[in-house]
Amino acid sequence: MVATKLYSGLVTLGLVLVLGIQSADALASTSWSELSDKQQELLAPLESEWGSMTNAQRERWLKVGRKYESEPQERQEIMRERVSTWSELSPRDKAAARQNYKALKEKRQGERNSTWNSYQSLDQKKRDEFKVRNNKPPLN
């Protein structure tokens, strides 16, 4: 009985993983004509590159496109400008931008860890004072 449930669970997990991978690949292999009108509007500066992008690159842009569809008009304008600017960068500039983004992300994570560690080292009274100053109710 237990072995049957375990086997069934493993088969189900395997199936979910395979389907998840296949659906991500199917999404990433989306042709330009399969994009929604809104996605094409946003990604228009990348249309000529779309066919030569890797599946990973397409998937990242599709995620941006899905987010774009639900954003307010002002945010959509900003996103269109940024995609346009990105499309005009040389491959070397794009690589530098990716490197800078990665370094900034790692730095921010380090700062968050440092800040959290500093907070954790405070005694409970100082934590409560900090929460009050920042409009958070103290734990009782």
Side-chain angles (χ1 to χ4, degrees), residues 2-138:
V2 172
T4 304
K5 284 186 177 183
L6 179 62
Y7 177 75
S8 175
L10 288 174
V11 169
T12 303
L13 178 61
L15 184 59
V16 167
L17 289 173
V18 167
L19 291 175
I21 291 169
Q22 287 177 344
S23 65
D25 284 346
L27 248 167
S29 63
T30 303
S31 70
W32 182 261
S33 62
E34 294 174 286
L35 300 179
S36 72
D37 291 341
K38 282 285 199 180
Q39 289 172 329
Q40 286 184 6
E41 174 185 298
L42 171 67
L43 303 174
L46 303 172
E47 182 177 6
S48 63
E49 301 172 43
W50 192 258
S52 62
M53 286 183 188
T54 65
N55 283 350
Q57 290 170 321
R58 284 186 188 180
E59 180 58 30
R60 283 192 295 270
W61 285 115
L62 287 170
K63 285 180 184 177
V64 172
R66 286 190 294 271
K67 182 176 180 181
Y68 174 80
E69 292 177 322
S70 63
E71 292 290 333
Q73 189 65 35
E74 305 82 44
R75 181 76 179 125
Q76 287 181 353
E77 178 62 32
I78 292 168
M79 292 174 78
R80 282 193 304 274
E81 288 174 14
R82 289 184 179 166
V83 171
S84 179
T85 300
W86 178 262
S87 72
E88 294 169 1
L89 294 176
S90 70
R92 186 178 189 165
D93 289 340
K94 287 177 183 178
R98 286 185 194 103
Q99 200 119 13
N100 288 341
Y101 174 78
K102 183 179 177 184
L104 182 60
K105 188 175 178 182
E106 289 170 359
K107 180 182 178 192
R108 286 183 178 160
Q109 182 62 44
E111 288 173 358
R112 280 193 299 266
N113 290 343
S114 174
T115 302
W116 178 248
N117 290 338
S118 296
Y119 174 77
Q120 291 290 65
S121 68
L122 295 174
D123 62 37
Q124 190 61 44
K125 183 179 178 185
K126 290 196 187 248
R127 284 189 202 180
D128 290 344
E129 290 171 5
F130 179 79
K131 288 176 186 176
V132 168
R133 279 195 315 264
N134 291 286
N135 299 320
K136 304 278 185 194

